[in-house]
Amino acid sequence: MEEESENPSPMSPERLAYEAGRQATRDALKKKCAEVFPKACAITLEIGCGHGHFLAAYATAHPQEQCVGIDLVTQRVAKGNKKGVKQNLGNLLFLKAEALEFLDALPAHVTIVRTFILFPDPWPKKRHWKHRFVQQPLLEKLAARMAPGSEICLRTDHEGYFAWMVDQVAQSPHWKADPAAPWPFEAPSFFQSLMESWQSLVAVRVRE
Ligand SMILES: C[S@@+](CC[C@H](N)C(=O)[O-])C[C@H]1O[C@@H](n2cnc3c(N)ncnc32)[C@H](O)[C@@H]1O
């Protein structure tokens, strides 16, 4: 059977239109990020934040941190921002963005002090593993923004994805798993509230 194809074939009019659309999205995101982050700042980032349950609780408990959540889905991001307004949280912002595109679009003067990735889509079928966003390109781009000693906090209920995360961190020259590191803040994300168990991994940026 033929491998599933999600994008049109190369150089077809459909492919060109698709690429132009992607580029327009990237340009718009870059413009938005330049507006939102006009000067040097440090942020706490959640990638794939869903409706923002976790990050809203985190921002409430850490009023001194600027918390930014990103997600692919417009409606989820809108719900997150409503939470921030309702709870009067001036340090909480949600943006619609794809993870790698967001890291490319962030102005150079923005650093990330901590990143959370909670219950990312596990993509259980082998042919879909390429869609898992915890892999080398993301670890590479996060490393470029995060200082030695800073952490990526990963959590999943999916055994296979947890093993994958451990392996990806082990393969990266920029990150080292720290089994002794405490989970920095407990508040259930929406997915966590549906799960009976999960595993967590804290990856620390190494000094190079
Ligand atoms: C399973 S949900 C988990 C949501 C939330 N972290 C939680 O624990 O409740 C995964 C989320 O990641 C988002 N997502 C998937 N791929 C993404 C990507 N490449 N960049 C940003 N968000 C992404 C999805 O839209 C979805 O909201």
Side-chain angles (χ1 to χ4, degrees):
M1 209 157 94
E2 243 187 306
E3 178 76 356
E4 192 178 318
S5 157
E6 286 168 6
N7 296 328
S9 62
M11 303 311 290
S12 66
E14 291 83 358
R15 177 77 202 189
L16 292 172
Y18 170 82
E19 290 302 342
R22 294 293 331 142
Q23 190 54 50
T25 303
R26 285 193 287 269
D27 291 345
L29 182 60
K30 199 164 185 183
K31 192 162 171 258
K32 176 84 183 169
C33 284
E35 285 164 18
V36 169
F37 307 109
K39 52 184 190 205
C41 63
I43 63 170
T44 298
L45 176 66
E46 185 184 356
I47 298 175
C49 58
H51 295 165
H53 292 77
F54 172 81
L55 201 60
Y58 184 93
T60 304
H62 300 82
Q64 74 291 359
E65 294 185 29
Q66 293 302 315
C67 302
V68 178
I70 60 163
D71 200 282
L72 286 177
V73 181
T74 310
Q75 227 188 345
R76 294 181 189 159
V77 166
K79 274 199 175 178
N81 280 324
K82 267 192 194 157
K83 279 192 185 74
V85 171
K86 214 169 161 185
Q87 296 172 36
N88 203 19
L89 291 169
N91 64 331
L92 179 66
L93 174 71
F94 295 97
L95 294 170
K96 174 184 157 63
E98 194 283 325
L100 297 178
E101 292 181 357
F102 175 74
L103 292 167
D104 285 341
L106 263 188
H109 54 240
V110 181
T111 55
I112 302 169
V113 289
R114 180 177 279 141
T115 300
F116 289 98
I117 301 178
L118 309 175
F119 301 88
D121 298 314
W123 294 104
K125 291 182 183 159
K126 188 170 182 182
R127 71 175 189 279
H128 290 153
W129 287 356
K130 60 179 182 265
H131 298 306
R132 289 179 169 174
F133 61 59
V134 180
Q135 53 183 303
Q136 296 311 308
L138 184 74
L139 295 177
E140 189 80 37
K141 285 183 194 291
L142 285 174
R145 295 290 181 156
M146 297 178 72
S150 56
E151 297 172 343
I152 308 175
C153 301
L154 300 144
R155 182 168 276 183
T156 178
D157 59 301
H158 190 274
E159 292 269 347
Y161 202 175
F162 186 73
W164 166 281
M165 287 171 172
V166 170
D167 191 47
Q168 291 293 323
V169 168
Q171 280 180 40
S172 171
H174 311 300
W175 299 97
K176 192 171 181 349
D178 182 356
W183 190 254
F185 179 72
E186 284 295 353
S189 70
F190 178 74
F191 268 74
Q192 184 170 317
S193 67
L194 304 177
M195 303 299 168
E196 284 183 358
S197 64
W198 50 82
Q199 288 175 281
S200 308
L201 172 68
V202 176
V204 180
R205 178 76 169 90
V206 298
R207 191 171 295 280
E208 291 169 90

